[in-house]
Amino acid sequence: MRLKTASCIALCLSFTFLIQSVPTDAAPAANLRGREYYEERGDIVWEVPTEEKYIALTFDDGPDEKQTLLILDLLRQYHAKATFFVVGDRVERYPEIVRRELAEGHEVANHSYTHPAFQRLSSGSMEEELNRTQEAVFKATGTRPILFRPPGGYYNERLISLSKLHHLQMVLWSWHQDTKDWRSPGTQVIANKVLDNARSGDIVLMHDFVHRSSQTYEALRIILPELNRRGYSLVTVSELLSHKVAPKNHIKVSY
């Protein structure tokens, strides 16, 4: 009897500890609204409706002392511009690479400081991740990002509000242009994903830091000349946004 009582008490204490260890304002497991709601309000950008042949290549998780430099050389060769969603603690390790990105006409954007799972963070921790990355980029370049992409594409109402508070536009990616290159699926698989689905206004998700893999770089050697041949201009996300047009079903209001 005493053994059962002791076991019950231990179980209750363990459960209490688990409850107390979870942040009181932890992010919910699912978003409350669908993509259309946030897209129409301009809260989040997945892709950009445009009549011109523009595509934005984006690279997450860098900078990296090897892969990023190879990608930069290739982009320069094909007169292509891109947006680099950088991780703050890596910016502090490789500030010269971030400076080069800007100097060569690319865009540097916020991708958090330590690349955590945001759904497990409190609002205060989310804000710290944003702020520390903003400051890391500012210290390295003298400028602050205006775009933000949360790790894994996770978002909720609190994170959207924080992004707005800090004047950061949240940017995700075209659903048909998630290359999943971080899995190292094969050079041709990555290239085919981009080329088979390419259309104006796309925001392509790639990575310039993938552990022990050069597949993204090798895929770009196929992607860049082919997109050029098809007449696409490869631009930064901000440049792409400047060419946005209202969808045909958009209701225009006159005052």
Side-chain angles (χ1 to χ4, degrees):
M1 182 67 179
R2 290 181 180 178
L3 182 60
K4 290 183 178 180
T5 302
S7 298
C8 183
I9 292 173
L11 183 61
C12 290
L13 288 174
S14 297
F15 183 71
T16 301
F17 173 78
L18 286 172
I19 292 175
Q20 292 176 344
S21 66
V22 177
T24 55
D25 58 344
N31 301 302
L32 299 178
R33 302 176 188 268
R35 167 175 169 173
E36 183 177 348
Y37 172 81
Y38 297 110
E39 204 162 33
E40 288 182 353
R41 290 162 52 93
D43 292 337
I44 305 175
V45 174
W46 278 267
E47 55 203 22
V48 179
T50 178
E51 297 173 349
E52 300 169 87
K53 299 191 75 172
Y54 290 118
I55 288 177
L57 298 180
T58 67
F59 299 92
D60 287 10
D61 298 355
D64 178 69
E65 60 183 337
K66 295 181 180 179
Q67 296 175 52
T68 306
L69 296 179
L70 287 172
I71 290 171
L72 284 171
D73 288 343
L74 201 56
L75 293 172
R76 181 168 56 188
Q77 178 182 343
Y78 288 98
H79 308 288
K81 305 303 178 187
T83 300
F84 291 87
F85 286 87
V86 297
V87 175
D89 67 350
R90 299 190 66 81
V91 172
E92 293 177 345
R93 278 182 267 173
Y94 308 111
E96 70 285 352
I97 299 179
V98 183
R99 287 193 287 269
R100 178 182 168 184
E101 289 170 351
L102 287 177
E104 296 186 0
H106 305 293
E107 185 167 26
V108 174
N110 190 320
H111 193 46
S112 80
Y113 186 79
T114 60
H115 203 274
F118 266 57
Q119 59 267 40
R120 299 176 183 171
L121 300 184
S122 66
S123 294
S125 295
M126 287 181 179
E127 187 163 24
E128 183 179 10
E129 287 284 330
L130 294 181
N131 287 337
R132 292 184 71 183
T133 305
Q134 292 295 94
E135 292 309 309
V137 174
F138 181 75
K139 184 177 179 180
T141 68
T143 64
R144 289 185 173 85
I146 60 173
L147 306 178
F148 165 62
R149 174 179 286 163
Y154 176 83
Y155 62 90
N156 64 11
E157 295 287 354
R158 290 185 294 107
L159 186 54
I160 291 172
S161 295
L162 280 174
S163 298
K164 291 179 178 180
L165 180 65
H166 293 282
H167 308 289
L168 288 165
Q169 171 65 64
M170 190 180 294
V171 176
L172 298 183
W173 55 86
S174 303
W175 286 348
H176 59 281
Q177 287 290 12
D178 182 354
T179 64
K180 302 188 187 300
D181 57 343
W182 57 273
R183 294 181 176 175
S184 300
T187 296
Q188 198 61 54
V189 172
I190 297 170
N192 289 347
K193 181 66 173 180
V194 176
L195 296 175
D196 291 349
N197 297 288
R199 63 192 189 207
S200 298
D202 280 353
I203 297 177
V204 181
L205 174 60
M206 307 182 87
H207 295 77
D208 60 326
F209 176 55
V210 180
H211 186 58
R212 295 183 179 179
S213 174
S214 62
Q215 290 182 8
T216 301
Y217 167 74
E218 296 297 336
L220 284 168
R221 296 178 63 185
I222 301 170
I223 293 167
L224 292 174
E226 177 59 21
L227 289 180
N228 278 353
R229 188 190 69 78
R230 297 183 190 180
Y232 286 103
S233 295
L234 300 173
V235 299
T236 65
V237 170
S238 287
E239 173 69 12
L240 184 62
L241 286 167
S242 73
H243 293 275
K244 181 178 181 179
V245 297
K248 291 181 180 179
N249 61 348
H250 183 74
I251 300 175
K252 296 182 179 180
V253 179
S254 299
Y255 295 95

